[in-house]
Amino acid sequence: MPEIRQDPLTGAWISLSGDRQIRPLTVSAGNATPCPFCPGPGTEVGTEPFEVAVFDNRFPAFDAPGHSEIVVYAADHWADLATLPLSHAQAIWDAWCDRTQCLNRRADVAQVFVFENRGKKVGASIAHPHGQIYAYPFLPPRMVSETIRGSNSHCALCLGDGPDLGARTLLSTPDWQLIAPWAARMPFQLTLYPLKHHCDMIPIPESSAKEAMAIIQTVYQAYDAYFGHRTALVLALYQAPAHHFGREQYHLRFDFLPIERGRDKIKYLAGSELAMGAFVGDMLPETVAHRLRPLVEAAFARYLI
Ligand SMILES: [Zn+2]
Ligand SMILES: [Zn+2]
């Protein structure tokens, strides 16, 4: 069982567990270990047909207080969020939304975090495409910073996320804006946010959710085209804390955080990032937008037919 400890120096909470070291690894194609996320007798998803499956993580980072869940995107072991039919991708959105709503109601949950570790370079221990949901029993450090800052100033995303937004915009749709953020932490980081101020997924209408999933698929496809392979990235959904005072001031967004900084080059977190939490970048967001925009536009054009 995980143990929650508070860093006496910073006040930040850390989840520690010895059990997670024994969780199964099936990342390589020739691995003899059966996939626990493929349908079949005795696997995590069982033999019942499913479109999207959600279940408790057997090796949780958080478990009462808090909670950890797995979202298996499809029964097909070789499916990928990038290429699933859009109607199927919408079912993933619905699962994220349902779980957010349900977990937000729990008194022992402070923050619901929906994310995907795509590829073994960012820690995916099972190859079968899936995402995760952490329901933290505390507010993670980034959310502490964002909510404090958000409560003391106007909404940064409603204001357009800093100067030169036009040069950093890759795609604008009726409801969503895809940008390279002004102060990107990772070299090829992109941010997707709704133009209307929503603090979480719950009130977002179906047509707008469909548009968002099409853009998420577009970004995956654009990265894969740019880097020439299935890009290792973290997809992170930032939503308002579960019970925080003034949670409506939070503006929902998705961050795409690839760990690559060029073809076959990895952005390693090193001294400044690991030791001080201060990111030192190698790419200007304007340059990233310029490079990826044609690929994003080409990929998104397929959804407009
Ligand atoms: Zn599988
Ligand atoms: Zn806003």
Side-chain angles (χ1 to χ4, degrees), residues 155-159 194-198 248-252:
C155 174
L157 290 181
C158 281
L159 289 176
L195 294 169
K196 191 171 171 189
H197 184 102
H198 290 297
E248 290 75 19
Q249 287 171 289
Y250 197 80
H251 194 135
L252 167 151

Side-chain angles (χ1 to χ4, degrees), residues 35 37-38 77 128:
C35 174
F37 297 167
C38 270
H77 186 82
H128 196 124

